[in-house]
Amino acid sequence: MLIRTMQRRSFIKQPGNMLTTPRSREVWHEPDLSDFREPYEWMRHQFELRRMPLNPDNALLWGWIHPLHEEDQYRGFNNRRAASVQLIVDIPSHLVLASDFDAWHIPLGHSNFSDNLSGNDHDWEKLFDEHWLLTNGWGPQSKNSYVQCVFPYIKREWIRNIKYFRGIY
């Protein structure tokens, strides 16, 4: 499965064949994004339920089905001091958990797909139910709608293209 992912340049400079990111680099560790911890931990748990156990020291990697993802979304993150890379990788499907990017904002916002849940109950599993999403108005709304993916690592031989750029991914 061809996937586009943005990583810091240090990601491809690490030694060995299996490229990973430490858990301390997960997005919710950023001070402004700490509210995202619950949904990101939930996604990690979903990956383990639906795919395989994860190394507790490594973060999930995020990407988008290629070529559907719009590269332009990163142009606003220009930072001449940050060296980043865009990788096109061919990842085996059994290592990929895909979901709708627009629908991902329901968990990120600590909301629910249905209004009739009480307390701390969540119906976030609907994120993976393509039929339910399409039936309930979560179909692609524009050319900018896309599928996001999580996966545990990248092997060097899976890399099909590297594009270097300055900016924060």
Side-chain angles (χ1 to χ4, degrees):
M1 175 178 296
L2 280 180
I3 295 174
R4 180 182 308 199
T5 184
M6 307 299 185
Q7 302 294 330
R8 291 189 169 95
R9 195 170 298 178
S10 59
F11 180 83
I12 61 170
K13 290 185 175 187
Q14 60 186 296
N17 183 44
M18 193 174 298
L19 307 176
T20 62
T21 297
R23 295 277 318 264
S24 62
R25 296 291 299 272
E26 289 179 314
V27 70
W28 55 264
H29 286 283
E30 301 288 330
D32 294 345
L33 303 174
S34 62
D35 286 347
F36 293 158
R37 180 181 184 141
E38 181 185 10
Y40 275 84
E41 288 293 329
W42 175 83
M43 182 64 85
R44 184 177 180 84
H45 179 69
Q46 292 301 307
F47 185 91
E48 290 188 312
L49 286 174
R50 297 165 188 266
R51 295 297 182 262
M52 60 186 257
L54 293 167
N55 181 328
D57 297 329
N58 296 337
L60 276 175
L61 302 175
W62 291 71
W64 296 268
I65 299 291
H66 179 72
L68 298 179
H69 170 65
E70 296 292 330
E71 179 178 340
D72 293 343
Q73 103 178 64
Y74 290 95
R75 294 192 194 279
F77 294 100
N78 289 335
N79 179 338
R80 294 228 174 261
R81 294 174 287 159
S84 297
V85 293
Q86 171 189 273
L87 302 174
I88 306 299
V89 292
D90 193 2
I91 300 177
S93 297
H94 73 278
L95 294 176
V96 175
L97 180 60
S99 61
D100 180 274
F101 174 78
D102 291 330
W104 169 238
H105 288 79
I106 294 291
L108 282 180
H110 300 277
S111 301
N112 287 306
F113 289 97
S114 304
D115 293 332
N116 58 355
L117 293 175
S118 62
N120 291 329
D121 293 335
H122 295 296
D123 60 355
W124 295 348
E125 290 82 10
K126 290 179 179 173
L127 182 65
F128 306 107
D129 186 345
E130 184 178 1
H131 177 73
W132 186 92
L133 289 170
L134 290 172
T135 303
N136 288 277
W138 287 95
Q141 302 299 313
S142 71
K143 69 175 188 154
N144 294 321
S145 296
Y146 45 89
V147 176
Q148 67 181 7
C149 303
V150 293
F151 43 96
Y153 54 84
I154 294 172
K155 289 188 176 182
R156 287 191 190 280
E157 64 259 24
W158 298 345
I159 298 174
R160 299 295 176 255
N161 189 311
I162 301 173
K163 180 179 178 182
Y164 296 88
F165 66 97
R166 291 266 178 212
I168 299 171
Y169 63 88

